[in-house]
Short mmCIF file of all heavy atoms in Angstrom, two decimals:
data_model
loop_
_atom_site.label_atom_id
_atom_site.label_comp_id
_atom_site.label_asym_id
_atom_site.label_seq_id
_atom_site.Cartn_x
_atom_site.Cartn_y
_atom_site.Cartn_z
N MET D 1440 -16.95 0.96 28.26
CA MET D 1440 -16.77 2.29 28.82
C MET D 1440 -15.42 2.45 29.53
O MET D 1440 -14.73 3.45 29.38
CB MET D 1440 -17.92 2.55 29.78
CG MET D 1440 -18.18 3.99 30.12
SD MET D 1440 -18.49 5.13 28.73
CE MET D 1440 -19.74 4.24 27.81
N VAL D 1471 -16.40 11.49 28.05
CA VAL D 1471 -17.61 11.07 28.78
C VAL D 1471 -18.05 12.22 29.69
O VAL D 1471 -17.38 13.25 29.77
CB VAL D 1471 -17.35 9.82 29.64
CG1 VAL D 1471 -16.93 8.65 28.76
CG2 VAL D 1471 -16.32 10.10 30.71
N SER D 1472 -19.16 12.03 30.37
CA SER D 1472 -19.60 13.06 31.31
C SER D 1472 -18.85 12.92 32.62
O SER D 1472 -18.26 11.88 32.93
CB SER D 1472 -21.09 12.94 31.55
OG SER D 1472 -21.35 11.79 32.33
N ARG D 1474 -20.05 12.70 35.53
CA ARG D 1474 -20.67 11.68 36.37
C ARG D 1474 -20.15 10.29 36.02
O ARG D 1474 -19.81 9.49 36.91
CB ARG D 1474 -22.19 11.75 36.18
CG ARG D 1474 -22.94 10.86 37.12
CD ARG D 1474 -24.39 10.70 36.64
NE ARG D 1474 -25.14 9.83 37.54
CZ ARG D 1474 -25.97 10.26 38.45
NH1 ARG D 1474 -26.18 11.55 38.61
NH2 ARG D 1474 -26.63 9.40 39.21
N THR D 1475 -20.09 10.00 34.75
CA THR D 1475 -19.60 8.69 34.33
C THR D 1475 -18.13 8.50 34.67
O THR D 1475 -17.70 7.44 35.14
CB THR D 1475 -19.81 8.52 32.82
OG1 THR D 1475 -21.18 8.72 32.51
CG2 THR D 1475 -19.38 7.14 32.36
N LYS D 1478 -17.88 7.65 38.11
CA LYS D 1478 -18.43 6.34 38.41
C LYS D 1478 -17.36 5.25 38.25
O LYS D 1478 -17.24 4.35 39.08
CB LYS D 1478 -19.60 6.04 37.47
CG LYS D 1478 -20.22 4.68 37.71
CD LYS D 1478 -21.35 4.43 36.74
CE LYS D 1478 -21.89 3.02 36.93
NZ LYS D 1478 -22.89 2.70 35.90
N TYR D 1479 -16.56 5.36 37.19
CA TYR D 1479 -15.57 4.32 36.92
C TYR D 1479 -14.26 4.57 37.66
O TYR D 1479 -13.54 3.63 38.01
CB TYR D 1479 -15.32 4.21 35.41
CG TYR D 1479 -16.45 3.55 34.69
CD1 TYR D 1479 -17.53 4.28 34.20
CD2 TYR D 1479 -16.47 2.16 34.53
CE1 TYR D 1479 -18.58 3.67 33.55
CE2 TYR D 1479 -17.51 1.54 33.89
CZ TYR D 1479 -18.57 2.29 33.40
OH TYR D 1479 -19.61 1.68 32.77
P DA A 96 -26.23 -0.40 35.14
OP1 DA A 96 -25.24 -1.43 34.77
OP2 DA A 96 -26.27 0.18 36.51
"O5'" DA A 96 -26.08 0.81 34.11
"C5'" DA A 96 -26.12 0.54 32.72
"C4'" DA A 96 -25.90 1.84 31.98
"O4'" DA A 96 -27.10 2.65 32.06
"C3'" DA A 96 -24.77 2.71 32.59
"O3'" DA A 96 -24.03 3.36 31.57
"C2'" DA A 96 -25.54 3.71 33.41
"C1'" DA A 96 -26.73 3.94 32.48
N9 DA A 96 -27.83 4.62 33.13
C8 DA A 96 -28.24 4.54 34.43
N7 DA A 96 -29.25 5.31 34.73
C5 DA A 96 -29.54 5.94 33.54
C6 DA A 96 -30.51 6.88 33.19
N6 DA A 96 -31.41 7.37 34.03
N1 DA A 96 -30.53 7.31 31.90
C2 DA A 96 -29.63 6.82 31.04
N3 DA A 96 -28.67 5.93 31.26
C4 DA A 96 -28.68 5.52 32.54
P DG A 97 -22.68 4.04 31.93
OP1 DG A 97 -21.63 3.20 31.35
OP2 DG A 97 -22.66 4.36 33.38
"O5'" DG A 97 -22.75 5.44 31.16
"C5'" DG A 97 -22.97 5.44 29.77
"C4'" DG A 97 -23.84 6.60 29.35
"O4'" DG A 97 -25.08 6.54 30.08
"C3'" DG A 97 -23.32 7.99 29.68
"O3'" DG A 97 -22.43 8.48 28.69
"C2'" DG A 97 -24.61 8.82 29.65
"C1'" DG A 97 -25.67 7.83 30.04
N9 DG A 97 -26.27 8.12 31.34
C8 DG A 97 -26.06 7.45 32.52
N7 DG A 97 -26.75 7.93 33.51
C5 DG A 97 -27.46 8.98 32.96
C6 DG A 97 -28.40 9.89 33.56
O6 DG A 97 -28.76 9.92 34.73
N1 DG A 97 -28.89 10.80 32.63
C2 DG A 97 -28.54 10.85 31.30
N2 DG A 97 -29.11 11.79 30.57
N3 DG A 97 -27.68 10.01 30.73
C4 DG A 97 -27.18 9.11 31.62
P DT A 98 -21.71 9.86 28.99
OP1 DT A 98 -20.67 9.97 27.97
OP2 DT A 98 -21.37 9.93 30.43
"O5'" DT A 98 -22.83 10.96 28.73
"C5'" DT A 98 -23.50 11.04 27.47
"C4'" DT A 98 -24.31 12.33 27.41
"O4'" DT A 98 -25.31 12.30 28.45
"C3'" DT A 98 -23.48 13.59 27.64
"O3'" DT A 98 -23.81 14.56 26.65
"C2'" DT A 98 -23.84 14.05 29.04
"C1'" DT A 98 -25.25 13.49 29.22
N1 DT A 98 -25.53 13.14 30.63
C2 DT A 98 -26.46 13.86 31.34
O2 DT A 98 -27.08 14.80 30.87
N3 DT A 98 -26.64 13.45 32.64
C4 DT A 98 -26.00 12.41 33.28
O4 DT A 98 -26.24 12.13 34.45
C5 DT A 98 -25.03 11.70 32.48
C7 DT A 98 -24.27 10.55 33.07
C6 DT A 98 -24.84 12.09 31.20
P DA A 99 -22.92 15.88 26.57
OP1 DA A 99 -23.06 16.35 25.18
OP2 DA A 99 -21.58 15.62 27.14
"O5'" DA A 99 -23.66 16.90 27.55
"C5'" DA A 99 -25.05 17.13 27.43
"C4'" DA A 99 -25.46 18.24 28.37
"O4'" DA A 99 -25.79 17.66 29.66
"C3'" DA A 99 -24.36 19.27 28.66
"O3'" DA A 99 -24.93 20.57 28.60
"C2'" DA A 99 -23.86 18.91 30.05
"C1'" DA A 99 -25.11 18.36 30.69
N9 DA A 99 -24.85 17.40 31.77
C8 DA A 99 -23.92 16.39 31.77
N7 DA A 99 -23.92 15.68 32.88
C5 DA A 99 -24.91 16.26 33.66
C6 DA A 99 -25.39 15.97 34.95
N6 DA A 99 -24.92 14.98 35.70
N1 DA A 99 -26.39 16.75 35.44
C2 DA A 99 -26.86 17.74 34.68
N3 DA A 99 -26.48 18.10 33.44
C4 DA A 99 -25.49 17.32 32.99
P DG A 100 -23.91 21.84 28.55
OP1 DG A 100 -24.53 22.82 27.63
OP2 DG A 100 -22.53 21.38 28.31
"O5'" DG A 100 -24.00 22.41 30.03
"C5'" DG A 100 -25.26 22.41 30.69
"C4'" DG A 100 -25.06 22.52 32.17
"O4'" DG A 100 -24.83 21.23 32.77
"C3'" DG A 100 -23.87 23.39 32.61
"O3'" DG A 100 -24.25 24.15 33.72
"C2'" DG A 100 -22.85 22.35 33.02
"C1'" DG A 100 -23.82 21.42 33.73
N9 DG A 100 -23.26 20.16 34.19
C8 DG A 100 -22.29 19.40 33.60
N7 DG A 100 -21.99 18.33 34.30
C5 DG A 100 -22.81 18.40 35.42
C6 DG A 100 -22.94 17.53 36.52
O6 DG A 100 -22.32 16.49 36.75
N1 DG A 100 -23.90 17.98 37.42
C2 DG A 100 -24.63 19.11 37.27
N2 DG A 100 -25.50 19.38 38.24
N3 DG A 100 -24.53 19.93 36.24
C4 DG A 100 -23.60 19.52 35.35
P DA A 101 -24.12 25.74 33.69
OP1 DA A 101 -24.97 26.19 32.57
OP2 DA A 101 -22.70 26.14 33.76
"O5'" DA A 101 -24.84 26.14 35.06
"C5'" DA A 101 -26.14 25.63 35.33
"C4'" DA A 101 -26.28 25.31 36.81
"O4'" DA A 101 -25.64 24.04 37.09
"C3'" DA A 101 -25.62 26.34 37.73
"O3'" DA A 101 -26.49 26.53 38.84
"C2'" DA A 101 -24.30 25.68 38.13
"C1'" DA A 101 -24.68 24.21 38.13
N9 DA A 101 -23.58 23.28 37.84
C8 DA A 101 -22.76 23.30 36.74
N7 DA A 101 -21.88 22.33 36.75
C5 DA A 101 -22.13 21.64 37.91
C6 DA A 101 -21.53 20.49 38.50
N6 DA A 101 -20.52 19.84 37.93
N1 DA A 101 -22.03 20.06 39.68
C2 DA A 101 -23.05 20.73 40.23
N3 DA A 101 -23.70 21.80 39.77
C4 DA A 101 -23.18 22.21 38.60
P DG A 102 -26.06 27.50 40.06
OP1 DG A 102 -27.31 28.05 40.59
OP2 DG A 102 -24.96 28.35 39.56
"O5'" DG A 102 -25.46 26.52 41.17
"C5'" DG A 102 -26.31 25.54 41.75
"C4'" DG A 102 -25.58 24.88 42.91
"O4'" DG A 102 -24.52 24.04 42.38
"C3'" DG A 102 -24.91 25.84 43.89
"O3'" DG A 102 -25.15 25.32 45.20
"C2'" DG A 102 -23.44 25.80 43.50
"C1'" DG A 102 -23.30 24.35 43.03
N9 DG A 102 -22.23 24.09 42.06
C8 DG A 102 -21.97 24.77 40.89
N7 DG A 102 -20.97 24.27 40.22
C5 DG A 102 -20.54 23.19 40.98
C6 DG A 102 -19.48 22.27 40.76
O6 DG A 102 -18.69 22.21 39.81
N1 DG A 102 -19.40 21.33 41.78
C2 DG A 102 -20.22 21.28 42.88
N2 DG A 102 -20.01 20.31 43.77
N3 DG A 102 -21.22 22.14 43.10
C4 DG A 102 -21.31 23.06 42.11
#
Side-chain angles (χ1 to χ4, degrees):
Chain D
M1440 199 57 49
V1471 299
S1472 71
R1474 187 195 179 102
T1475 304
K1478 179 181 176 186
Y1479 286 89

